[in-house]
Amino acid sequence: MEFSAEQIAELINGKIIGDGKTVITGVSPIENGEQGHLSFVGQSRFSNHIDTTECAVLIVSESLLEDRNYKPVIIAVEDAYLSFQVLMNLYQEMQGRRTGIEAGSFFHETAKVGKDVYIGAFTYVSEKAAIGDGTQIFPHVYIGKGVKIGKNCKIDSGARIYDHCIVGDNCVIHSNTVVGGDGFGFQPTAEGFKKIPQLGNVIIEDDVEIGSNCSIDRATIGSTIIGKGTKIDNLIQIAHNVKIGQNNVIASQAGIAGSTIIGDWNQIGGQVGIVGHIKIGNQVKIQAQSGVNSSAKDGETLYGSPAINYSDYRRNYVHFRNFTDIVKRINDLENKKSE
């Protein structure tokens, strides 16, 4: 599809500097711009590309612009990154949505489906499941007994949503993620470990996105909960009875053990491990590869394993890097004292 700079500027309330009739036919990253393409510059470290890129049109944050002529056509906006996101969302909406139930899928007679739903081939929808309006379920998905999925969701190929789990509106679950598998509950006995039945479910609230190859375990009793607006990366384990609040972001390969409670607006880095039965407050930042074994208060930044306050960790690490020299100096002092 082709768009003029004027059309793009109108969509994002931008101001044009240059020829508004200029047409773009694609998009490129600013570092590898192509002729006839659109890109954006939202940070000063990329400003040097404004004069060197081959892109025909650039969306640029006003704070980065000077009062001079530019080679590409400029669309000046308050925040280029956010404006570019608006365009990408609009473009995605223009691609259209699939509807209908494809041949080869199984749909139980007691299941309920809303309007404008798409169910791909080889998908299995169990008894008493309910799927909301506008939801898209791609091929090879399993929907268990009594599952409820809200409106305008997207469930990618190979995902599994087990019995009685609930998914809110506007959620995205990527390929091969399992929602509602058994929690890891076993009782040690003289004869070995005996499995504890996992009778709860998983509740995923509105506007949640879950990456590929994640495992979110059902509660032993009650619910494992993923709060509204939370974004979960790929390859993440969330154990039984965990309760995650609203608008958290959790990066790849993190693991959260059972019954831990996490507040709102937290940022959890990649490969973070959080033990069970603790509480993480609100607006906590946990740096990548940290191991958290105790509760965290609101606003803390944690680092290390076991994780401690980020500022304390950095001060201590200075001494750790010099630890060999420090030990040598102590030994030298002790040797002099004993002479």
Side-chain angles (χ1 to χ4, degrees):
M1 290 184 284
E2 296 184 353
F3 297 91
S4 70
E6 286 178 341
Q7 289 174 314
I8 295 168
E10 186 176 352
L11 291 171
I12 57 177
N13 297 316
K15 177 184 176 182
I16 291 185
I17 302 173
D19 183 4
K21 304 296 184 185
T22 302
V23 172
I24 63 103
T25 58
V27 295
S28 297
I30 187 64
E31 305 94 322
N32 301 302
E34 297 181 25
Q35 292 184 358
H37 279 203
L38 170 74
S39 192
F40 74 98
V41 178
Q43 298 180 26
S44 58
R45 61 194 176 108
F46 296 111
S47 295
N48 61 303
H49 293 292
I50 295 176
D51 293 313
T52 60
T53 185
E54 293 295 323
C55 286
V57 180
L58 294 180
I59 301 169
V60 184
S61 296
E62 292 174 334
S63 62
L64 303 179
L65 292 171
E66 302 172 356
D67 186 14
R68 63 181 178 86
N69 293 326
Y70 290 95
K71 174 185 172 184
V73 175
I74 302 295
I75 301 176
V77 295
E78 183 177 351
D79 189 319
Y81 184 64
L82 291 179
S83 295
F84 197 72
Q85 284 183 315
V86 169
L87 287 179
M88 289 191 292
N89 285 324
L90 290 171
Y91 181 78
Q92 187 176 48
E93 291 174 7
M94 292 172 64
Q95 303 309 301
R97 299 170 68 90
R98 299 184 185 184
T99 58
I101 300 175
E102 291 184 349
S105 59
F106 174 82
F107 200 88
H108 195 276
E109 59 184 9
T110 61
K112 297 180 180 180
V113 61
K115 300 175 182 178
D116 301 321
V117 165
Y118 166 68
I119 298 177
F122 309 111
T123 287
Y124 188 103
V125 181
S126 302
E127 60 184 294
K128 298 182 179 179
I131 300 170
D133 297 347
T135 284
Q136 296 193 305
I137 299 176
F138 286 80
H140 296 279
V141 169
Y142 173 78
I143 306 296
K145 179 180 178 180
V147 167
K148 295 180 181 179
I149 299 175
K151 300 176 182 178
N152 300 314
C153 293
K154 180 184 177 185
I155 314 296
D156 275 328
S157 299
R160 305 288 187 263
I161 304 177
Y162 289 172
D163 295 357
H164 305 296
C165 291
I166 298 172
V167 179
D169 297 336
N170 308 311
C171 291
V172 178
I173 299 176
H174 289 278
S175 293
N176 302 319
T177 280
V178 176
V179 175
D182 278 357
F184 193 63
F186 297 90
Q187 177 66 36
T189 71
E191 292 78 29
F193 289 91
K194 301 297 183 182
K195 185 175 180 64
I196 299 171
Q198 305 294 294
L199 304 178
N201 71 344
V202 174
I203 297 175
I204 297 171
E205 297 181 353
D206 297 346
D207 304 311
V208 169
E209 181 157 350
I210 300 171
S212 60
N213 298 296
C214 296
S215 293
I216 302 176
D217 294 344
R218 67 176 52 246
T220 306
I221 299 173
S223 300
T224 301
I225 298 174
I226 311 298
K228 182 178 180 179
T230 287
K231 313 302 181 186
I232 295 173
D233 200 358
N234 307 323
L235 296 164
I236 285 173
Q237 159 68 17
I238 297 174
H240 56 187
N241 292 93
V242 167
K243 291 178 172 54
I244 296 176
Q246 298 184 6
N247 298 306
N248 293 278
V249 288
I250 306 175
S252 180
Q253 298 183 7
I256 303 171
S259 298
T260 282
I261 298 173
I262 294 176
D264 302 332
W265 293 100
N266 296 293
Q267 299 177 31
I268 299 174
Q271 296 185 335
V272 164
I274 302 176
V275 302
H277 300 273
I278 64 171
K279 184 174 182 179
I280 306 296
N282 304 313
Q283 297 182 314
V284 174
K285 295 179 180 179
I286 305 176
Q287 306 295 321
Q289 295 190 330
S290 295
V292 182
N293 62 4
S294 60
S295 295
K297 298 177 181 179
D298 292 354
E300 284 196 275
T301 299
L302 305 179
Y303 195 27
S305 186
I308 60 174
N309 180 275
Y310 181 69
S311 298
D312 292 339
Y313 180 89
R314 293 191 64 182
R315 285 194 294 268
N316 292 340
Y317 190 70
V318 171
H319 299 302
F320 176 75
R321 285 187 302 175
N322 299 314
F323 191 66
T324 300
D325 290 337
I326 292 170
V327 171
K328 183 178 183 300
R329 287 165 58 192
I330 291 172
N331 288 335
D332 289 344
L333 288 171
E334 289 180 341
N335 290 334
K336 287 180 180 179
K337 184 178 179 180
S338 62
E339 288 177 356

